[in-house]
Amino acid sequence: MIRVLLADDQALVRAGFRALLDSAPDITVVAEAPDGAEAVRQARAERPDVVLMDVRMPGLDGLAATAQILADPALKAVRIVILTTFDLDEYIFEALRAGASGFLVKDTEPEDLLQAVRVVARGDALLSPGVTRRLIADYARRPRRPAPSTRLNDLTDREREVLALVAEGLSNDEIARRLVVSPATAKTHVSRIMVKLGVRDRAQLVVLAYETSLVVPGWAD
């Protein structure tokens, strides 16, 4: 059973999400929170598998609450999905850096919401190609490329190649086709990269690929 915490300042939104999630045989809502501070308290009390977190809430907002939850060693297994009103929310990059596992637009289809919770609960990132393009655009607007980093020194050449493909938004199956290997091999590469770099999921891999200059989206030399 996937245990979910709902954090949104609108009671009607929480009620609608709860009704939908509780209708699934493998998902249950264990707590609700109307603001970020309560979301942090409930996360510590309930230890949910997934938190659906509205980014704009009074007091402590969803971004700050995400950072607090994921900074707590006791909550390292918690996965957070940011709820946005628009597909290209200005907080996307900051939330990914804080450790969010992905994003959902609030008017997403019911079945897509249920599937998203399942995807994140099993440890995968909910990072669409559109969000990846948003990250690239964010970096492309910056005047200078980031300083070279030593964080990737432990990766093999093949692992660096796989990481670059993850940063393009490719799935394991797509990476497998690109490299002419099996999907299982591609998944193993991605898992090993996560362990070596100490990241939670694919979303953070994408951020790291750009922060370390492995992938550089269009800066002039």
Side-chain angles (χ1 to χ4, degrees), residues 6-221:
L6 292 175
D8 194 293
D9 61 334
Q10 299 183 45
L12 189 59
V13 171
R14 296 199 308 273
F17 276 24
R18 174 185 277 274
L20 174 62
L21 294 167
D22 281 342
S23 71
D26 56 337
I27 301 173
T28 184
V29 176
V30 295
E32 297 182 19
D35 55 55
E38 182 63 19
V40 174
R41 285 192 290 270
Q42 291 292 346
R44 289 171 175 159
E46 297 292 341
R47 307 288 177 91
D49 300 304
V50 176
V51 179
L52 297 181
M53 181 82 74
D54 185 18
V55 74
R56 296 183 181 91
M57 292 185 289
L60 192 71
D61 65 20
L63 183 60
T66 294
Q68 286 192 23
I69 290 171
L70 298 180
D72 188 335
L75 301 177
K76 64 181 180 179
V78 175
R79 305 291 176 180
I80 297 181
V81 176
I82 299 295
L83 300 172
T84 63
T85 304
F86 303 104
D87 193 26
L88 298 182
D89 191 281
E90 64 266 29
Y91 294 110
I92 283 179
F93 176 68
E94 289 80 0
L96 287 175
R97 289 196 64 187
S101 292
F103 292 83
L104 277 178
V105 180
K106 285 188 177 181
D107 62 357
T108 190
E109 293 296 322
E111 187 53 43
D112 291 340
L113 171 63
L114 297 177
Q115 184 59 24
V117 169
R118 295 178 182 119
V119 165
V120 172
R122 67 172 180 251
D124 293 333
L126 192 67
L127 191 60
S128 69
V131 171
T132 302
R133 288 194 295 271
R134 170 69 174 83
L135 284 174
I136 294 170
D138 181 275
Y139 271 97
R141 285 195 298 269
R142 299 184 181 197
R144 290 195 299 260
R145 67 184 64 189
S149 171
T150 61
R151 289 196 65 183
L152 306 184
N153 287 359
D154 290 337
L155 299 185
T156 65
D157 289 343
R158 175 62 97 181
E159 287 168 345
R160 286 170 179 260
E161 186 177 10
V162 171
L163 177 55
L165 295 176
V166 170
E168 289 183 26
L170 271 63
S171 67
N172 288 342
D173 287 345
E174 291 167 334
I175 292 171
R177 288 193 292 271
R178 182 78 64 90
L179 299 181
V180 195
V181 298
S182 71
T185 297
K187 182 177 181 180
T188 297
H189 281 311
V190 173
S191 298
R192 286 176 178 169
I193 294 168
M194 288 183 186
V195 171
K196 286 186 177 182
L197 298 179
V199 301
R200 294 168 59 90
D201 53 38
R202 298 174 84 94
Q204 288 192 300
L205 283 180
V206 173
V207 173
L208 189 59
Y210 286 100
E211 287 188 331
T212 58
S213 297
L214 177 67
V215 178
V216 182
W219 279 291
D221 293 329

